Amino acid sequence: MSKRTHIWLITTDQMRADALGIENASVLTPELDKLTSEGTLFTGAYCASPVCTPSRSSIFTGRYPHVHGAWNIGTTLKEDELTLCDHLKKADYKTIGIGKMHFRPQMKEDFSQEYEDPAYRDRGRASDGTYYGFDEHHITEDNCIGEYMEWLRERNPEVAERFSKDRFRASDAQHDVWESEIPPELHQTYWIAERSIDAILAHKTEQPLFLWSSFVDPHHPFDPPKVYTDMYTNIDIPSPTREADDVLLRPPHLLRQSQGGYWPGGGEEHSLDEAHMKRLTRNYYAMITFIDEQIGRIIKAWRQKEMYDDVVILFTSDHGELLGDHGLIYKGPWFYEGLTRIPMIVRGPGIASGQRVSALMEHVDIVPTLLEAAGLKFPYGIQGVSQMEVLAGRESHVRNSALTAYIAHDRGINAKCLRTTRYKLVIFAGETYGELYDLKEDPHENHNRFEDPDYSKIRHSMVEMLVHRMIQDQDPLPERRSSW
């Protein structure tokens, strides 16, 4: 019997593409750097949306946010959407999800400030009782309630009590930045790795395995265990990219995001000083280093089970982090590179090693790529394209553009961003203004060329390309099965 291809999807939350050691010497990621040397690094990968739920749902379905229904945080992935797990289960895969999923809201309805009960939040679908196709799922989210906290209470009640009280908030904490005194082996990041290792070691290797290890960090608060921030004591932390007139670049409608408390601050820049931003960035990098170390632990489990040579590994993030660029932090309705460009590493059988490509890739390409890598056909209705020709080194690219959307129907704000290898266009529904950046001449996106007459032909060409993409990206389902 020939060996079957296993699949390991690794995701982080809010991780920039330039927060990998191979792209940024200030970040310590030896395991991910090694993974890159064994596989292919995409430097032109872009998220489906600059907020969590839409992108995560696109990663899992291969379909766009306006199609799968989870168009912003606070929405729910439609239960009748076919997921990567649904496709793999037809090929007898065991499917296990561990960590952050966020396919459903973490807060109760009616904009309540109460957390949703995990038993309801993580319930099975009405159709088959599974959590979106997973045979087994162990979920923890940003608020940490649920299975992780149950495990923590069993391991160390005192630590659990302190964590529940103030999340080990340090006395010198500034806003949401501090160095945590929680023991690393009791941290949420460690728990996700532990559960992943348990799943691998318990697996019967004759059955193909799909494992999704989904880390919650480096999402804010920026509070890594202190031992990891200490690793950065002598490392130079880069300053954010910003200009004195950055605020003038912001589309006026972003200020409306703060109305009703939907997105505090809206288009206003933060007021944090340079020292605070250095500390924030260092802690952000330290969280990534912690994750990197845990990925190394999980890799050892794959090797221990003698499955490593037969596993396709894909590492990515749901979106990036502004990290002070343009005077902004976190995420939201912006399309700057720090927020929309994501890390993308793929390694495994049939994939070229040590390859670095600038080919454009989208979240929706993950499902068809993984299915083809496993020797499976992907069904009608998936909107992404397989990147296997690029991964195998046979083609330089399979896309000429990448699409990112921010959708907020209830706030009257809808925007589409189209990225080519050189230009970036942002169109805001119902507005006459927009954004156009020449990333070859202006890699830091400091000069908006949308109204520049010298770029009028480029603008018109990009708008036309965006129109075609929007027509093509409508839901192809249901499939036509009759001639008339």
Side-chain angles (χ1 to χ4, degrees), residues 26-50:
S26 295
V27 190
L28 304 174
T29 56
E31 296 293 341
L32 289 171
D33 295 349
K34 183 179 179 183
L35 200 65
T36 300
S37 70
E38 296 176 355
T40 294
L41 172 70
F42 283 84
T43 62
Y46 289 85
C47 64
S49 176

mmCIF file with all atom_site columns, all heavy atoms in Angstrom, residues 26-50:
data_model
loop_
_atom_site.group_PDB
_atom_site.id
_atom_site.type_symbol
_atom_site.label_atom_id
_atom_site.label_alt_id
_atom_site.label_comp_id
_atom_site.label_asym_id
_atom_site.label_entity_id
_atom_site.label_seq_id
_atom_site.pdbx_PDB_ins_code
_atom_site.Cartn_x
_atom_site.Cartn_y
_atom_site.Cartn_z
_atom_site.occupancy
_atom_site.B_iso_or_equiv
_atom_site.pdbx_formal_charge
_atom_site.auth_seq_id
_atom_site.auth_comp_id
_atom_site.auth_asym_id
_atom_site.auth_atom_id
_atom_site.pdbx_PDB_model_num
ATOM 1   N N   . SER A 1 26 ? 15.728  41.026 12.876 1.00 0.00 ? 26 SER A N   1
ATOM 2   C CA  . SER A 1 26 ? 15.417  41.343 14.268 1.00 0.00 ? 26 SER A CA  1
ATOM 3   C C   . SER A 1 26 ? 14.499  40.314 14.917 1.00 0.00 ? 26 SER A C   1
ATOM 4   O O   . SER A 1 26 ? 14.241  40.379 16.120 1.00 0.00 ? 26 SER A O   1
ATOM 5   C CB  . SER A 1 26 ? 14.760  42.726 14.360 1.00 0.00 ? 26 SER A CB  1
ATOM 6   O OG  . SER A 1 26 ? 15.657  43.741 13.960 1.00 0.00 ? 26 SER A OG  1
ATOM 7   N N   . VAL A 1 27 ? 13.980  39.366 14.132 1.00 0.00 ? 27 VAL A N   1
ATOM 8   C CA  . VAL A 1 27 ? 13.045  38.374 14.651 1.00 0.00 ? 27 VAL A CA  1
ATOM 9   C C   . VAL A 1 27 ? 13.723  37.007 14.727 1.00 0.00 ? 27 VAL A C   1
ATOM 10  O O   . VAL A 1 27 ? 14.377  36.573 13.778 1.00 0.00 ? 27 VAL A O   1
ATOM 11  C CB  . VAL A 1 27 ? 11.785  38.271 13.774 1.00 0.00 ? 27 VAL A CB  1
ATOM 12  C CG1 . VAL A 1 27 ? 10.719  37.413 14.461 1.00 0.00 ? 27 VAL A CG1 1
ATOM 13  C CG2 . VAL A 1 27 ? 11.226  39.650 13.473 1.00 0.00 ? 27 VAL A CG2 1
ATOM 14  N N   . LEU A 1 28 ? 13.558  36.339 15.865 1.00 0.00 ? 28 LEU A N   1
ATOM 15  C CA  . LEU A 1 28 ? 14.170  35.027 16.074 1.00 0.00 ? 28 LEU A CA  1
ATOM 16  C C   . LEU A 1 28 ? 13.152  33.935 15.761 1.00 0.00 ? 28 LEU A C   1
ATOM 17  O O   . LEU A 1 28 ? 12.261  33.645 16.569 1.00 0.00 ? 28 LEU A O   1
ATOM 18  C CB  . LEU A 1 28 ? 14.654  34.903 17.524 1.00 0.00 ? 28 LEU A CB  1
ATOM 19  C CG  . LEU A 1 28 ? 15.631  35.981 18.007 1.00 0.00 ? 28 LEU A CG  1
ATOM 20  C CD1 . LEU A 1 28 ? 15.915  35.827 19.494 1.00 0.00 ? 28 LEU A CD1 1
ATOM 21  C CD2 . LEU A 1 28 ? 16.927  35.915 17.202 1.00 0.00 ? 28 LEU A CD2 1
ATOM 22  N N   . THR A 1 29 ? 13.273  33.321 14.581 1.00 0.00 ? 29 THR A N   1
ATOM 23  C CA  . THR A 1 29 ? 12.377  32.230 14.176 1.00 0.00 ? 29 THR A CA  1
ATOM 24  C C   . THR A 1 29 ? 13.184  31.110 13.518 1.00 0.00 ? 29 THR A C   1
ATOM 25  O O   . THR A 1 29 ? 13.009  30.819 12.336 1.00 0.00 ? 29 THR A O   1
ATOM 26  C CB  . THR A 1 29 ? 11.286  32.724 13.204 1.00 0.00 ? 29 THR A CB  1
ATOM 27  O OG1 . THR A 1 29 ? 11.929  33.356 12.071 1.00 0.00 ? 29 THR A OG1 1
ATOM 28  C CG2 . THR A 1 29 ? 10.339  33.702 13.863 1.00 0.00 ? 29 THR A CG2 1
ATOM 29  N N   . PRO A 1 30 ? 14.075  30.446 14.248 1.00 0.00 ? 30 PRO A N   1
ATOM 30  C CA  . PRO A 1 30 ? 14.920  29.421 13.629 1.00 0.00 ? 30 PRO A CA  1
ATOM 31  C C   . PRO A 1 30 ? 14.147  28.250 13.032 1.00 0.00 ? 30 PRO A C   1
ATOM 32  O O   . PRO A 1 30 ? 14.543  27.716 11.979 1.00 0.00 ? 30 PRO A O   1
ATOM 33  C CB  . PRO A 1 30 ? 15.815  28.959 14.780 1.00 0.00 ? 30 PRO A CB  1
ATOM 34  C CG  . PRO A 1 30 ? 15.092  29.357 16.029 1.00 0.00 ? 30 PRO A CG  1
ATOM 35  C CD  . PRO A 1 30 ? 14.366  30.620 15.683 1.00 0.00 ? 30 PRO A CD  1
ATOM 36  N N   . GLU A 1 31 ? 13.054  27.837 13.654 1.00 0.00 ? 31 GLU A N   1
ATOM 37  C CA  . GLU A 1 31 ? 12.295  26.698 13.132 1.00 0.00 ? 31 GLU A CA  1
ATOM 38  C C   . GLU A 1 31 ? 11.596  27.053 11.825 1.00 0.00 ? 31 GLU A C   1
ATOM 39  O O   . GLU A 1 31 ? 11.606  26.269 10.868 1.00 0.00 ? 31 GLU A O   1
ATOM 40  C CB  . GLU A 1 31 ? 11.269  26.221 14.173 1.00 0.00 ? 31 GLU A CB  1
ATOM 41  C CG  . GLU A 1 31 ? 11.875  25.676 15.443 1.00 0.00 ? 31 GLU A CG  1
ATOM 42  C CD  . GLU A 1 31 ? 12.637  24.374 15.227 1.00 0.00 ? 31 GLU A CD  1
ATOM 43  O OE1 . GLU A 1 31 ? 12.409  23.703 14.191 1.00 0.00 ? 31 GLU A OE1 1
ATOM 44  O OE2 . GLU A 1 31 ? 13.453  24.019 16.092 1.00 0.00 ? 31 GLU A OE2 1
ATOM 45  N N   . LEU A 1 32 ? 10.989  28.226 11.764 1.00 0.00 ? 32 LEU A N   1
ATOM 46  C CA  . LEU A 1 32 ? 10.322  28.648 10.535 1.00 0.00 ? 32 LEU A CA  1
ATOM 47  C C   . LEU A 1 32 ? 11.331  28.937 9.430  1.00 0.00 ? 32 LEU A C   1
ATOM 48  O O   . LEU A 1 32 ? 11.068  28.672 8.252  1.00 0.00 ? 32 LEU A O   1
ATOM 49  C CB  . LEU A 1 32 ? 9.446   29.869 10.803 1.00 0.00 ? 32 LEU A CB  1
ATOM 50  C CG  . LEU A 1 32 ? 8.187   29.589 11.629 1.00 0.00 ? 32 LEU A CG  1
ATOM 51  C CD1 . LEU A 1 32 ? 7.503   30.883 12.031 1.00 0.00 ? 32 LEU A CD1 1
ATOM 52  C CD2 . LEU A 1 32 ? 7.221   28.693 10.862 1.00 0.00 ? 32 LEU A CD2 1
ATOM 53  N N   . ASP A 1 33 ? 12.497  29.462 9.801  1.00 0.00 ? 33 ASP A N   1
ATOM 54  C CA  . ASP A 1 33 ? 13.542  29.684 8.808  1.00 0.00 ? 33 ASP A CA  1
ATOM 55  C C   . ASP A 1 33 ? 13.996  28.357 8.210  1.00 0.00 ? 33 ASP A C   1
ATOM 56  O O   . ASP A 1 33 ? 14.215  28.239 6.995  1.00 0.00 ? 33 ASP A O   1
ATOM 57  C CB  . ASP A 1 33 ? 14.737  30.401 9.437  1.00 0.00 ? 33 ASP A CB  1
ATOM 58  C CG  . ASP A 1 33 ? 14.399  31.805 9.917  1.00 0.00 ? 33 ASP A CG  1
ATOM 59  O OD1 . ASP A 1 33 ? 13.300  32.296 9.577  1.00 0.00 ? 33 ASP A OD1 1
ATOM 60  O OD2 . ASP A 1 33 ? 15.207  32.397 10.642 1.00 0.00 ? 33 ASP A OD2 1
ATOM 61  N N   . LYS A 1 34 ? 14.117  27.339 9.057  1.00 0.00 ? 34 LYS A N   1
ATOM 62  C CA  . LYS A 1 34 ? 14.504  26.011 8.574  1.00 0.00 ? 34 LYS A CA  1
ATOM 63  C C   . LYS A 1 34 ? 13.418  25.418 7.686  1.00 0.00 ? 34 LYS A C   1
ATOM 64  O O   . LYS A 1 34 ? 13.697  24.807 6.645  1.00 0.00 ? 34 LYS A O   1
ATOM 65  C CB  . LYS A 1 34 ? 14.780  25.084 9.755  1.00 0.00 ? 34 LYS A CB  1
ATOM 66  C CG  . LYS A 1 34 ? 15.268  23.701 9.344  1.00 0.00 ? 34 LYS A CG  1
ATOM 67  C CD  . LYS A 1 34 ? 15.544  22.830 10.561 1.00 0.00 ? 34 LYS A CD  1
ATOM 68  C CE  . LYS A 1 34 ? 16.021  21.437 10.131 1.00 0.00 ? 34 LYS A CE  1
ATOM 69  N NZ  . LYS A 1 34 ? 16.239  20.553 11.300 1.00 0.00 ? 34 LYS A NZ  1
ATOM 70  N N   . LEU A 1 35 ? 12.168  25.623 8.084  1.00 0.00 ? 35 LEU A N   1
ATOM 71  C CA  . LEU A 1 35 ? 11.048  25.142 7.281  1.00 0.00 ? 35 LEU A CA  1
ATOM 72  C C   . LEU A 1 35 ? 11.071  25.790 5.902  1.00 0.00 ? 35 LEU A C   1
ATOM 73  O O   . LEU A 1 35 ? 10.797  25.135 4.883  1.00 0.00 ? 35 LEU A O   1
ATOM 74  C CB  . LEU A 1 35 ? 9.733   25.461 7.999  1.00 0.00 ? 35 LEU A CB  1
ATOM 75  C CG  . LEU A 1 35 ? 8.493   24.667 7.584  1.00 0.00 ? 35 LEU A CG  1
ATOM 76  C CD1 . LEU A 1 35 ? 8.646   23.196 7.923  1.00 0.00 ? 35 LEU A CD1 1
ATOM 77  C CD2 . LEU A 1 35 ? 7.255   25.233 8.280  1.00 0.00 ? 35 LEU A CD2 1
ATOM 78  N N   . THR A 1 36 ? 11.431  27.065 5.855  1.00 0.00 ? 36 THR A N   1
ATOM 79  C CA  . THR A 1 36 ? 11.549  27.767 4.582  1.00 0.00 ? 36 THR A CA  1
ATOM 80  C C   . THR A 1 36 ? 12.633  27.152 3.713  1.00 0.00 ? 36 THR A C   1
ATOM 81  O O   . THR A 1 36 ? 12.460  26.990 2.500  1.00 0.00 ? 36 THR A O   1
ATOM 82  C CB  . THR A 1 36 ? 11.850  29.259 4.827  1.00 0.00 ? 36 THR A CB  1
ATOM 83  O OG1 . THR A 1 36 ? 10.788  29.831 5.592  1.00 0.00 ? 36 THR A OG1 1
ATOM 84  C CG2 . THR A 1 36 ? 11.988  30.008 3.518  1.00 0.00 ? 36 THR A CG2 1
ATOM 85  N N   . SER A 1 37 ? 13.740  26.778 4.318  1.00 0.00 ? 37 SER A N   1
ATOM 86  C CA  . SER A 1 37 ? 14.837  26.167 3.560  1.00 0.00 ? 37 SER A CA  1
ATOM 87  C C   . SER A 1 37 ? 14.440  24.806 2.994  1.00 0.00 ? 37 SER A C   1
ATOM 88  O O   . SER A 1 37 ? 14.987  24.360 1.987  1.00 0.00 ? 37 SER A O   1
ATOM 89  C CB  . SER A 1 37 ? 16.082  26.016 4.435  1.00 0.00 ? 37 SER A CB  1
ATOM 90  O OG  . SER A 1 37 ? 15.905  25.025 5.429  1.00 0.00 ? 37 SER A OG  1
ATOM 91  N N   . GLU A 1 38 ? 13.464  24.155 3.630  1.00 0.00 ? 38 GLU A N   1
ATOM 92  C CA  . GLU A 1 38 ? 12.992  22.853 3.165  1.00 0.00 ? 38 GLU A CA  1
ATOM 93  C C   . GLU A 1 38 ? 11.867  22.976 2.147  1.00 0.00 ? 38 GLU A C   1
ATOM 94  O O   . GLU A 1 38 ? 11.478  21.990 1.518  1.00 0.00 ? 38 GLU A O   1
ATOM 95  C CB  . GLU A 1 38 ? 12.486  22.019 4.350  1.00 0.00 ? 38 GLU A CB  1
ATOM 96  C CG  . GLU A 1 38 ? 13.553  21.667 5.375  1.00 0.00 ? 38 GLU A CG  1
ATOM 97  C CD  . GLU A 1 38 ? 12.973  20.921 6.563  1.00 0.00 ? 38 GLU A CD  1
ATOM 98  O OE1 . GLU A 1 38 ? 11.730  20.757 6.622  1.00 0.00 ? 38 GLU A OE1 1
ATOM 99  O OE2 . GLU A 1 38 ? 13.749  20.489 7.428  1.00 0.00 ? 38 GLU A OE2 1
ATOM 100 N N   . GLY A 1 39 ? 11.317  24.173 2.005  1.00 0.00 ? 39 GLY A N   1
ATOM 101 C CA  . GLY A 1 39 ? 10.160  24.345 1.125  1.00 0.00 ? 39 GLY A CA  1
ATOM 102 C C   . GLY A 1 39 ? 10.210  25.629 0.346  1.00 0.00 ? 39 GLY A C   1
ATOM 103 O O   . GLY A 1 39 ? 11.281  26.105 -0.049 1.00 0.00 ? 39 GLY A O   1
ATOM 104 N N   . THR A 1 40 ? 9.040   26.225 0.137  1.00 0.00 ? 40 THR A N   1
ATOM 105 C CA  . THR A 1 40 ? 8.909   27.431 -0.681 1.00 0.00 ? 40 THR A CA  1
ATOM 106 C C   . THR A 1 40 ? 8.301   28.561 0.142  1.00 0.00 ? 40 THR A C   1
ATOM 107 O O   . THR A 1 40 ? 7.313   28.360 0.859  1.00 0.00 ? 40 THR A O   1
ATOM 108 C CB  . THR A 1 40 ? 8.025   27.158 -1.912 1.00 0.00 ? 40 THR A CB  1
ATOM 109 O OG1 . THR A 1 40 ? 8.689   26.224 -2.771 1.00 0.00 ? 40 THR A OG1 1
ATOM 110 C CG2 . THR A 1 40 ? 7.737   28.432 -2.686 1.00 0.00 ? 40 THR A CG2 1
ATOM 111 N N   . LEU A 1 41 ? 8.893   29.730 0.037  1.00 0.00 ? 41 LEU A N   1
ATOM 112 C CA  . LEU A 1 41 ? 8.394   30.939 0.686  1.00 0.00 ? 41 LEU A CA  1
ATOM 113 C C   . LEU A 1 41 ? 7.744   31.840 -0.356 1.00 0.00 ? 41 LEU A C   1
ATOM 114 O O   . LEU A 1 41 ? 8.377   32.203 -1.349 1.00 0.00 ? 41 LEU A O   1
ATOM 115 C CB  . LEU A 1 41 ? 9.535   31.692 1.372  1.00 0.00 ? 41 LEU A CB  1
ATOM 116 C CG  . LEU A 1 41 ? 9.196   33.076 1.931  1.00 0.00 ? 41 LEU A CG  1
ATOM 117 C CD1 . LEU A 1 41 ? 8.278   32.958 3.143  1.00 0.00 ? 41 LEU A CD1 1
ATOM 118 C CD2 . LEU A 1 41 ? 10.474  33.843 2.305  1.00 0.00 ? 41 LEU A CD2 1
ATOM 119 N N   . PHE A 1 42 ? 6.474   32.181 -0.144 1.00 0.00 ? 42 PHE A N   1
ATOM 120 C CA  . PHE A 1 42 ? 5.790   33.171 -0.980 1.00 0.00 ? 42 PHE A CA  1
ATOM 121 C C   . PHE A 1 42 ? 5.965   34.545 -0.333 1.00 0.00 ? 42 PHE A C   1
ATOM 122 O O   . PHE A 1 42 ? 5.581   34.739 0.819  1.00 0.00 ? 42 PHE A O   1
ATOM 123 C CB  . PHE A 1 42 ? 4.294   32.872 -1.068 1.00 0.00 ? 42 PHE A CB  1
ATOM 124 C CG  . PHE A 1 42 ? 3.921   31.750 -1.998 1.00 0.00 ? 42 PHE A CG  1
ATOM 125 C CD1 . PHE A 1 42 ? 3.972   30.439 -1.561 1.00 0.00 ? 42 PHE A CD1 1
ATOM 126 C CD2 . PHE A 1 42 ? 3.519   32.007 -3.295 1.00 0.00 ? 42 PHE A CD2 1
ATOM 127 C CE1 . PHE A 1 42 ? 3.621   29.395 -2.400 1.00 0.00 ? 42 PHE A CE1 1
ATOM 128 C CE2 . PHE A 1 42 ? 3.171   30.975 -4.154 1.00 0.00 ? 42 PHE A CE2 1
ATOM 129 C CZ  . PHE A 1 42 ? 3.220   29.658 -3.704 1.00 0.00 ? 42 PHE A CZ  1
ATOM 130 N N   . THR A 1 43 ? 6.521   35.484 -1.075 1.00 0.00 ? 43 THR A N   1
ATOM 131 C CA  . THR A 1 43 ? 6.651   36.846 -0.560 1.00 0.00 ? 43 THR A CA  1
ATOM 132 C C   . THR A 1 43 ? 5.510   37.743 -1.027 1.00 0.00 ? 43 THR A C   1
ATOM 133 O O   . THR A 1 43 ? 5.460   38.917 -0.677 1.00 0.00 ? 43 THR A O   1
ATOM 134 C CB  . THR A 1 43 ? 7.990   37.468 -0.989 1.00 0.00 ? 43 THR A CB  1
ATOM 135 O OG1 . THR A 1 43 ? 8.042   37.539 -2.424 1.00 0.00 ? 43 THR A OG1 1
ATOM 136 C CG2 . THR A 1 43 ? 9.165   36.640 -0.479 1.00 0.00 ? 43 THR A CG2 1
ATOM 137 N N   . GLY A 1 44 ? 4.593   37.178 -1.814 1.00 0.00 ? 44 GLY A N   1
ATOM 138 C CA  . GLY A 1 44 ? 3.458   37.951 -2.324 1.00 0.00 ? 44 GLY A CA  1
ATOM 139 C C   . GLY A 1 44 ? 2.138   37.318 -1.956 1.00 0.00 ? 44 GLY A C   1
ATOM 140 O O   . GLY A 1 44 ? 1.219   37.255 -2.786 1.00 0.00 ? 44 GLY A O   1
ATOM 141 N N   . ALA A 1 45 ? 2.008   36.857 -0.697 1.00 0.00 ? 45 ALA A N   1
ATOM 142 C CA  . ALA A 1 45 ? 0.761   36.262 -0.231 1.00 0.00 ? 45 ALA A CA  1
ATOM 143 C C   . ALA A 1 45 ? -0.059  37.317 0.504  1.00 0.00 ? 45 ALA A C   1
ATOM 144 O O   . ALA A 1 45 ? 0.479   38.070 1.325  1.00 0.00 ? 45 ALA A O   1
ATOM 145 C CB  . ALA A 1 45 ? 1.048   35.080 0.685  1.00 0.00 ? 45 ALA A CB  1
ATOM 146 N N   . TYR A 1 46 ? -1.374  37.337 0.251  1.00 0.00 ? 46 TYR A N   1
ATOM 147 C CA  . TYR A 1 46 ? -2.261  38.362 0.818  1.00 0.00 ? 46 TYR A CA  1
ATOM 148 C C   . TYR A 1 46 ? -3.509  37.749 1.431  1.00 0.00 ? 46 TYR A C   1
ATOM 149 O O   . TYR A 1 46 ? -4.026  36.733 0.957  1.00 0.00 ? 46 TYR A O   1
ATOM 150 C CB  . TYR A 1 46 ? -2.630  39.394 -0.248 1.00 0.00 ? 46 TYR A CB  1
ATOM 151 C CG  . TYR A 1 46 ? -1.449  40.260 -0.598 1.00 0.00 ? 46 TYR A CG  1
ATOM 152 C CD1 . TYR A 1 46 ? -0.515  39.840 -1.551 1.00 0.00 ? 46 TYR A CD1 1
ATOM 153 C CD2 . TYR A 1 46 ? -1.208  41.446 0.082  1.00 0.00 ? 46 TYR A CD2 1
ATOM 154 C CE1 . TYR A 1 46 ? 0.616   40.604 -1.830 1.00 0.00 ? 46 TYR A CE1 1
ATOM 155 C CE2 . TYR A 1 46 ? -0.083  42.216 -0.188 1.00 0.00 ? 46 TYR A CE2 1
ATOM 156 C CZ  . TYR A 1 46 ? 0.825   41.784 -1.141 1.00 0.00 ? 46 TYR A CZ  1
ATOM 157 O OH  . TYR A 1 46 ? 1.946   42.532 -1.395 1.00 0.00 ? 46 TYR A OH  1
ATOM 158 N N   . CYS A 1 47 ? -3.969  38.395 2.497  1.00 0.00 ? 47 CYS A N   1
ATOM 159 C CA  . CYS A 1 47 ? -5.127  37.882 3.234  1.00 0.00 ? 47 CYS A CA  1
ATOM 160 C C   . CYS A 1 47 ? -6.424  38.208 2.497  1.00 0.00 ? 47 CYS A C   1
ATOM 161 O O   . CYS A 1 47 ? -6.495  39.136 1.691  1.00 0.00 ? 47 CYS A O   1
ATOM 162 C CB  . CYS A 1 47 ? -5.155  38.444 4.642  1.00 0.00 ? 47 CYS A CB  1
ATOM 163 S SG  . CYS A 1 47 ? -5.370  40.237 4.753  1.00 0.00 ? 47 CYS A SG  1
ATOM 164 N N   . ALA A 1 48 ? -7.468  37.445 2.827  1.00 0.00 ? 48 ALA A N   1
ATOM 165 C CA  . ALA A 1 48 ? -8.784  37.686 2.236  1.00 0.00 ? 48 ALA A CA  1
ATOM 166 C C   . ALA A 1 48 ? -9.420  38.939 2.821  1.00 0.00 ? 48 ALA A C   1
ATOM 167 O O   . ALA A 1 48 ? -10.171 39.640 2.147  1.00 0.00 ? 48 ALA A O   1
ATOM 168 C CB  . ALA A 1 48 ? -9.691  36.485 2.464  1.00 0.00 ? 48 ALA A CB  1
ATOM 169 N N   . SER A 1 49 ? -9.110  39.207 4.100  1.00 0.00 ? 49 SER A N   1
ATOM 170 C CA  . SER A 1 49 ? -9.673  40.364 4.788  1.00 0.00 ? 49 SER A CA  1
ATOM 171 C C   . SER A 1 49 ? -8.715  40.774 5.897  1.00 0.00 ? 49 SER A C   1
ATOM 172 O O   . SER A 1 49 ? -8.030  39.923 6.462  1.00 0.00 ? 49 SER A O   1
ATOM 173 C CB  . SER A 1 49 ? -11.043 40.021 5.385  1.00 0.00 ? 49 SER A CB  1
ATOM 174 O OG  . SER A 1 49 ? -11.569 41.101 6.129  1.00 0.00 ? 49 SER A OG  1
ATOM 175 N N   . PRO A 1 50 ? -8.654  42.052 6.246  1.00 0.00 ? 50 PRO A N   1
ATOM 176 C CA  . PRO A 1 50 ? -7.748  42.488 7.308  1.00 0.00 ? 50 PRO A CA  1
ATOM 177 C C   . PRO A 1 50 ? -8.288  42.295 8.722  1.00 0.00 ? 50 PRO A C   1
ATOM 178 O O   . PRO A 1 50 ? -7.779  42.900 9.664  1.00 0.00 ? 50 PRO A O   1
ATOM 179 C CB  . PRO A 1 50 ? -7.535  43.972 6.987  1.00 0.00 ? 50 PRO A CB  1
ATOM 180 C CG  . PRO A 1 50 ? -8.779  44.393 6.298  1.00 0.00 ? 50 PRO A CG  1
ATOM 181 C CD  . PRO A 1 50 ? -9.257  43.201 5.535  1.00 0.00 ? 50 PRO A CD  1
#
